[in-house]
Amino acid sequence: MRLLPKIILCLSSLVFFSFVSCKISRYKQSAVKNSVLNRSDIIPVVNNTNATKFQTTIDVLKNHLTGILIVKQTDSASTRLVFITELGMKMFDLEMKNGEMNVMYVFEPLNKPQVVNALKKNFKDMLLLDIYGKTGISFTDKNNNTLFRLIKAEEKQYFTTTVQNNLSLQETFQKRKRTSKILYTYNNELKTYSLIKCKQYGFVKFYFELTQIPKTND
């Protein structure tokens, strides 16, 4: 009977590694070419100096936060992100400047290194704040979608676009393990991403949901 737990453990490991390999294997293609990722390849989430607002949900450490995320590109090198709860309390204030995400303010209960780093990385990834001008590879999958891959140290980012060049999926892997998955819904009439959903895997799990609030002409 002692062999049974070992057999179950081995089978579980095989299932896990098969699952992970299957997830990353869809990105293995032979026909690839070097490519510098430009705004014409993937439509940006933030592309002007007007403030963009998202109705936002963040789930982390058993906390469920809801409020408004305000994103403003202040100049060609800087983007400011401020999250305010429905009660008007500022939870964090981040600034992306010259390729670095800097913390201007974090509400003390959230001011833990793992949480802060996850906020910085996930918002940088979701809003596509540091991908343009980077050199990677491009290829086409069996559904005729164009995919791009960027490599940062041991991290690999894959971007799946539609024929209209809007982003539909972004996945990040550390070696062969998926660390995050981001889904994008693009509104063709408004020419903007109306919904972004992000799930971070690992020891500290995050879930983000950003619904863009349409701009008014007032």
Side-chain angles (χ1 to χ4, degrees):
M1 293 297 291
R2 291 181 180 178
L3 289 175
L4 187 58
K6 292 184 178 180
I7 293 172
I8 293 174
L9 179 61
C10 290
L11 288 174
S12 300
S13 299
L14 285 172
V15 170
F16 171 78
F17 284 113
S18 297
F19 176 78
V20 172
S21 299
C22 182
K23 289 294 182 183
I24 197 171
S25 64
R26 70 180 291 262
Y27 297 113
K28 291 186 176 180
Q29 301 288 330
S30 55
V32 300
K33 63 179 181 179
N34 291 332
S35 178
V36 176
L37 197 51
N38 296 309
R39 290 172 178 263
S40 58
D41 298 311
I42 297 178
I43 296 174
V45 175
V46 180
N47 58 7
N48 56 53
T49 55
N50 295 325
T52 303
K53 297 180 181 180
F54 297 90
Q55 187 71 43
T56 302
T57 297
I58 304 174
D59 291 317
V60 57
L61 301 176
K62 298 183 180 180
N63 294 310
H64 180 73
L65 307 174
T66 59
I68 302 293
L69 177 72
I70 303 169
V71 183
K72 183 176 177 61
Q73 187 174 328
T74 54
D75 56 49
S76 60
S78 306
T79 303
R80 200 70 175 264
L81 296 79
V82 180
F83 178 65
I84 301 171
T85 68
E86 294 174 338
L87 297 176
M89 181 182 296
K90 182 165 70 172
M91 301 302 288
F92 58 81
D93 183 346
L94 308 174
E95 183 183 50
M96 184 73 179
K97 188 170 185 177
N98 297 320
E100 294 292 330
M101 184 70 87
N102 303 304
V103 176
M104 312 304 289
Y105 169 81
V106 176
F107 183 52
E108 188 56 38
L110 296 177
N111 198 4
K112 307 179 190 316
Q114 284 184 313
V115 175
V116 172
N117 289 335
L119 289 173
K120 290 165 61 178
K121 174 172 173 47
N122 284 290
F123 278 107
K124 183 166 62 174
D125 289 347
M126 282 188 287
L127 300 174
L128 310 179
L129 296 180
D130 73 336
I131 67 169
Y132 299 111
K134 301 292 179 64
T135 300
I137 64 169
S138 63
F139 54 95
T140 303
D141 67 9
K142 62 182 180 181
N143 296 319
N144 206 35
N145 295 315
T146 299
L147 289 85
F148 298 90
R149 186 189 74 188
L150 296 178
I151 299 178
K152 304 172 184 177
E154 293 184 345
E155 181 183 271
K156 295 180 181 179
Q157 284 179 285
Y158 293 91
F159 305 87
T160 303
T161 63
T162 68
V163 293
Q164 290 82 22
N165 293 343
N166 58 272
L167 190 60
S168 60
L169 171 66
Q170 178 187 162
E171 288 191 290
T172 301
F173 294 84
Q174 285 283 351
K175 296 183 179 180
R176 298 181 62 84
K177 184 177 181 181
R178 184 173 62 180
T179 55
S180 69
K181 178 179 181 180
I182 308 173
L183 296 170
Y184 295 83
T185 300
Y186 190 78
N187 187 313
N188 287 304
E189 288 187 13
L190 299 177
K191 304 298 182 185
T192 189
Y193 294 95
S194 57
L195 179 63
I196 303 173
K197 296 180 180 181
C198 172
K199 182 177 290 187
Q200 175 185 296
Y201 304 93
F203 182 73
V204 178
K205 295 178 174 59
F206 273 80
Y207 176 75
F208 303 85
E209 187 167 313
L210 280 60
T211 302
Q212 188 168 155
I213 300 171
K215 294 180 174 68
T216 64
N217 296 321
D218 306 355

